[in-house]
Every structure is written in C-alpha cells, then in structure tokens.
Amino acid sequence: MSINYDFEIIKSKFPEIKQELKSTISNQQVYNNFIKTITLYSLKENTLYLLVNNEFIKKTLEYNYLKLIQSVINKILLANFNIKLITKNETVDTTEASKLTTNTQNKPKEVKQIEKESVLFEPNTNTNPKYTFENLIISNFNKSAYTAIKSIFDKKLWNPIFINGGVGLGKTHLLHAAGNEFIKYNPNAKVLYVTSDTFIREVYNALASNNHLEIENLKNKYQSCDLLLFDDIQFLSKKEKINEIFFNIFNNNIAKDLFIIMTSDKRPEELENFESRMQSRFSSGLTVEINKPSLDSIVNILENKISSLNEGYIFNKEAINYIARRNQNDIRKLEGFLHQIIFYAINNLAPNSIITVDVVENATKTSANQEIKEFGYDVDPNIVIENICIAYGVDPKSVKSKLRKKEIVNTRNVCIYVLRKKFNMPYEQIGKFFANRNHSTIIDSYNKINSMIEKDSNLKSFIEKIYKNI
C-alpha cells in the first residue's frame, strides 16, 4: 500500500536504503563503484529521481540493478515509486518537484546547477544536452555532415540539410549537437527534435480524435520551430496521410526560412514509397553522407570514449585494435561493447589493471554469442573482408564486385581462403559475399592461396598476422 511522502522523509530513510542494497549485493566492488555514489535528486508525482555521476554508471545500473533498487526503495518506504536515474548533464522539470524537495541551500552544488539549467534550457529545446560538438569526434567519415550543419550558424547557406548514413554512425548525436549549438547562438529560438516514431504516433493520435483543431495544433507545434530536427525520415514510408501532414509542415518552414535538418539511412532519391515531389524537396538544400569510418577513426573514437569514462583501466594497443576491428561498422555498438568490458573489469580485475585481448574476449562472450546467432560465426564476415582489404590497401567494394584486376583478384582470393580456413564457412555462403560467385569458383580461389602458402613463407606469415588481427 502506497503512502504519501515528502522529500524529507525519503531523505531520512535513504541511509537505510543504501545499507539494504549493500547487504543484498554480494559483490561489494559493484556496490562501491555504482550504488554507493547514488544521491537523491527530487520527487515528482510518483517518480523518484536519483542522481548518478556519469552515463556509464547510469547505463550499468539501468541494465543490471534498476529493478533491485526500485524494489528495495519501495519495500523500505512502503511505497510504489517509479525510479528514474539521471546524470549531472540531464535536466528534469522540477517546477512541481521543488515543493517536495528541501531548501536549495542544503542541496549539492551540482543539483542546484541542474535545476538552474532546467529552468533556462527546457522551454527552448528538447535536445539532449550531453550531445555536443565538443564531444563529437570529427574525422573524414563525418566531416562533411559536421561542416554542413555548422554552416547554418555562420553563413546560413543551406536549408534543408539532409544527412544520410548507416546505423550507429552518429547521426542522432549530430542532430542533438546542432540543436544545442543553435540555442547558444540564438537563446530565444525554439528547437525541436523528433523521431519518426514520435511524429507518427502524434499524427495518429490527432487523427483519431476526429477533431480538426488537434491536427492544426500539431502542425503549429512544428511550424513554430526555428530549427526542426527530424531523425530517421525513412520510416515515414508508406504512410500517405502522415507524409501529407509532414510535407505541409516542411513547405511552411522552408518558405519562412525556418531551418530543417533531417537524417535517413538513404539518400533522398533512394527513399522508397515517397512521392517524387517530396524526394525533390528533400534534395533542394544540401545532401551529405556520413560514410563508414576508417579503422583509424574508430580507434580515435574508442580512445576518447575510454578517456571519458575515466575508470583508470589501461587498454593495450592490441586490445584497442581488436575492439575497433570488431565494431568498425557501428559506433553505437562500439560504445556498448566498451561498457561490457569496463563492467567486467570492475567486477573481476584490480583497479588500474591492463586490459588485454584475453580480457576483452572474456568480457564479451555474450556479444560473441550474438554474432554467432546473426552470422553463424563470432565475427561479422564483412569485418574479416574489410580488414584484409585494409592490409592490402584496396577497396572492399571492388573486392566484393565482379572486377578482375590482378590486385583485386589476389585480395579476393585471400579473403576467400581466410573465411574458409579460419571460420570453416561453406563455399556457397562465401560466394554470396563476392557477387554470388559459384561454388567451383570459390573452391579454385581457396586452392590457389593454399598452394601459394606452401611455397611462400612470407604469404603464410602475412595471413597468420591477419588471423591475429581478426
């Protein structure tokens, strides 16, 4: 049975809650690193907000311990609170919550700062303040997109800006950073970030109301933005009525010189089930692509993320390269992979230990199992091909194509050999990665390299080195 609480009662009970969690969690290192540092923030309606030191602690607790924390809190308080974890960089609307919290003179400095920021920041934008241009790694793969967005703060040349690129390459980070930067330049402006899922849900709800005013209110919400940030526009595909509403918003904002930045996994002309007029309008400003990052870029991003976590563990060069190669196609996946390793280290290693490839493999067995489910192997075959192509200095797209240039054929044969020899991949499956080459062609390629290795010790040594890198 839930009872009413003010914040002072919760505050008085919090040491007891911490002690109960400490006795419940068997691994005291986990308690000391994650649970012990939690502080109270505020209570709003039925949600209790707890403050944690950084995003890594937040993600770890949410994934592993949030249900336990909620259970212990509600058990001791005889309550039924929802528990929400926030970091110092996040804001919560505390207008109502402040009535329940203690006097601000008694609050930690960082909590006062969050409340101060929330009052100033929240009305103008819903972007996440943790995503900034300062913590975005700029390299060749995303430089064009970054430069295009920055131009609207200077010469204001392009509108709309359409950014396309694969999953996990930082498109969402760019959108939020753009919104946060825009507010810095224009403090009184209105910035709105929206995903396609949210927009679709809002339109459906408005249509379901059978009230024309609801549709107009929705349009006004988006048509009053100085900067509209629309993430994953491709998911509006096949939704004719929703497309029509968005197109009206789009045309209105462009006509009024209100900025729009959109992201997609495809270029405008490649979007399926969109009217040609929409594709044309999306292309009318500037279209830029975020390419797949190079291995050097991924290593740079990884090293920066390790530094920002500030957990004290030292990753040797081999471990850095191993992690980077395994996650070269997806920066978001790279971050999750790193969190797994850090969490494993906290639970199993002494502080400031060296992280080796062996440690990484032990820490990420679950990820390897997921790769096996998806690909049948503990690594994506595309990553194998890309790493061999990097070693030979050729374009993976050429190697996967039907091109017959000598240097491409040789690299392709090595790829086929490694996929068969190291991963025991069926010949038919290997052929699918190389423009659907037939079974006999793949066998010939494998046999050529196999014969060459017997005569050429340098080639044998080179391929063994590739094995280690993969």
Side-chain angles (χ1 to χ4, degrees):
M1 177 179 176
S2 178
I3 60 176
N4 293 324
Y5 275 100
D6 67 27
F7 199 72
E8 283 296 333
I9 295 175
I10 299 173
K11 187 178 177 183
S12 69
K13 291 278 189 181
F14 209 62
E16 183 182 344
I17 290 168
K18 286 276 193 79
Q19 189 58 42
E20 177 70 16
L21 287 167
K22 185 176 182 179
S23 62
T24 304
I25 295 172
S26 58
N27 190 324
Q28 291 307 295
Q29 198 169 1
V30 170
Y31 175 81
N32 291 333
N33 283 292
F34 296 100
I35 307 293
K36 188 177 180 179
T37 59
I38 296 173
T39 56
L40 285 169
Y41 176 44
S42 68
L43 174 66
K44 181 179 178 182
E45 297 174 348
N46 199 46
T47 300
L48 183 62
Y49 292 89
L50 305 180
L51 194 68
V52 297
N53 287 339
N54 55 52
E55 189 70 17
F56 171 63
I57 292 177
K58 175 185 171 182
K59 297 264 189 208
T60 302
L61 290 176
E62 284 177 341
Y63 187 76
N64 297 283
Y65 297 103
L66 186 57
K67 287 183 180 178
L68 173 63
I69 293 169
Q70 183 166 305
S71 173
V72 169
I73 287 174
N74 287 329
K75 171 186 170 185
I76 290 178
L77 296 177
L78 299 176
N80 189 29
F81 292 131
N82 296 316
I83 304 302
K84 177 77 174 174
L85 303 176
I86 61 171
T87 67
K88 297 174 186 179
N89 292 326
E90 293 178 287
T91 61
V92 175
D93 183 356
T94 56
T95 306
E96 298 176 23
S98 60
K99 300 173 185 176
L100 301 168
T101 56
T102 56
N103 189 291
T104 56
Q105 296 297 321
N106 299 321
K107 291 179 186 176
K109 181 178 178 181
E110 61 267 22
V111 175
K112 292 186 206 174
Q113 182 65 26
I114 289 176
E115 291 186 349
K116 180 181 177 183
E117 289 176 358
S118 67
V119 172
L120 295 173
F121 192 72
E122 182 131 300
N124 294 330
T125 180
N126 64 338
T127 49
N128 191 329
K130 79 174 185 177
Y131 295 116
T132 66
F133 286 136
E134 285 73 23
N135 60 24
L136 176 71
I137 304 299
I138 308 298
S139 192
N140 288 336
F141 77 98
N142 63 356
K143 187 175 181 180
S144 295
Y146 168 77
T147 303
I149 288 175
K150 288 286 284 185
S151 71
I152 71 173
F153 310 116
D154 304 321
K155 300 177 183 178
K156 302 185 177 181
L157 296 175
W158 323 110
N159 194 30
I161 295 175
F162 192 101
I163 300 170
N164 68 282
V167 174
L169 297 184
K171 298 190 299 294
T172 298
H173 187 142
L174 270 168
L175 286 187
H176 284 283
N180 294 328
E181 188 84 354
F182 195 85
I183 287 293
K184 286 183 187 178
Y185 278 75
N186 309 278
N188 297 319
K190 181 180 178 183
V191 173
L192 185 59
Y193 167 85
V194 64
T195 65
S196 56
D197 287 342
T198 298
F199 184 76
I200 291 167
R201 185 171 63 252
E202 288 179 343
V203 174
Y204 278 148
N205 289 341
L207 292 172
S209 70
N210 291 318
N211 185 342
H212 181 70
L213 187 59
E214 289 293 321
I215 295 291
E216 292 307 310
N217 287 339
L218 179 67
K219 287 182 181 179
N220 289 335
K221 171 184 172 182
Y222 289 100
Q223 290 174 350
S224 62
C225 298
D226 297 284
L227 173 61
L228 175 59
L229 307 163
F230 203 106
D231 211 355
D232 286 329
I233 194 77
Q234 73 272 11
F235 292 123
L236 297 190
S237 170
K238 298 182 181 179
K239 296 174 175 60
E240 185 176 339
K241 184 62 178 176
I242 293 172
N243 279 342
E244 179 185 334
I245 291 171
F246 177 75
F247 196 51
N248 288 335
I249 294 168
F250 178 93
N251 285 333
N252 172 84
N253 290 22
I254 295 296
K256 292 181 178 178
D257 289 328
L258 303 174
F259 289 105
I260 300 176
I261 306 176
M262 296 172 286
T263 70
S264 171
D265 63 350
K266 301 177 180 69
R267 293 178 60 83
E269 64 271 17
E270 295 171 343
L271 290 171
E272 298 174 356
N273 300 300
F274 279 83
E275 292 184 29
S276 57
R277 61 173 182 156
M278 292 185 72
Q279 294 173 320
S280 175
R281 291 291 275 155
F282 291 166
S283 303
S284 62
L286 179 67
T287 299
V288 289
E289 183 173 0
I290 298 179
N291 298 303
K292 191 163 58 178
S294 67
L295 186 60
D296 286 343
S297 296
I298 287 291
V299 167
N300 190 19
I301 291 167
L302 176 59
E303 288 175 340
N304 275 272
K305 288 187 180 295
I306 290 170
S307 177
S308 66
L309 288 175
N310 196 27
E311 293 297 327
Y313 297 102
I314 301 167
F315 287 69
N316 66 21
K317 184 178 179 180
E318 289 75 19
I320 292 282
N321 288 333
Y322 179 89
I323 297 166
R325 287 188 178 94
R326 287 296 172 105
N327 299 276
Q328 193 172 336
N329 296 330
D330 192 328
I331 297 170
R332 193 181 303 143
K333 185 179 173 185
L334 172 76
E335 189 168 16
F337 203 79
L338 177 59
H339 287 169
Q340 278 186 273
I341 297 162
I342 295 291
F343 184 66
Y344 175 87
I346 288 171
N347 282 282
N348 296 280
L349 304 179
N352 302 317
S353 295
I354 295 175
I355 305 296
T356 64
V357 171
D358 287 342
V359 172
V360 173
E361 288 180 333
N362 287 330
T364 57
K365 284 179 180 175
T366 303
S367 293
N369 290 338
Q370 290 171 348
E371 298 262 351
I372 289 169
K373 284 182 183 178
E374 184 173 354
F375 302 110
Y377 309 94
D378 63 353
V379 63
D380 179 352
N382 288 298
I383 292 176
V384 176
I385 295 167
E386 285 163 14
N387 277 281
I388 294 170
C389 290
I390 288 169
Y392 275 100
V394 300
D395 183 2
K397 289 181 181 177
S398 299
V399 171
K400 292 179 180 180
S401 73
K402 294 183 180 293
L403 289 175
R404 298 291 303 169
K405 289 183 180 179
K406 185 177 179 180
E407 66 274 15
I408 291 173
V409 171
N410 185 55
T411 306
R412 183 185 297 134
N413 290 344
V414 171
C415 291
I416 290 167
Y417 176 84
V418 172
L419 288 172
R420 177 63 179 178
K421 188 74 174 179
K422 184 172 175 64
F423 298 98
N424 198 30
M425 186 181 290
Y427 293 117
E428 294 87 348
Q429 190 173 351
I430 295 173
K432 292 177 182 178
F433 287 91
F434 301 97
N436 289 315
R437 281 176 165 79
N438 61 43
H439 178 271
S440 59
T441 302
I442 299 300
I443 292 176
D444 286 344
S445 296
Y446 173 84
N447 289 336
K448 282 178 185 176
I449 299 299
N450 197 37
S451 298
M452 289 171 66
I453 284 177
E454 294 176 2
K455 303 171 185 175
D456 189 342
S457 59
N458 290 329
L459 177 60
K460 182 178 181 182
S461 176
F462 180 79
I463 290 179
E464 286 176 352
K465 187 176 179 182
I466 288 175
Y467 285 169
K468 290 178 182 178
N469 288 339
I470 296 169

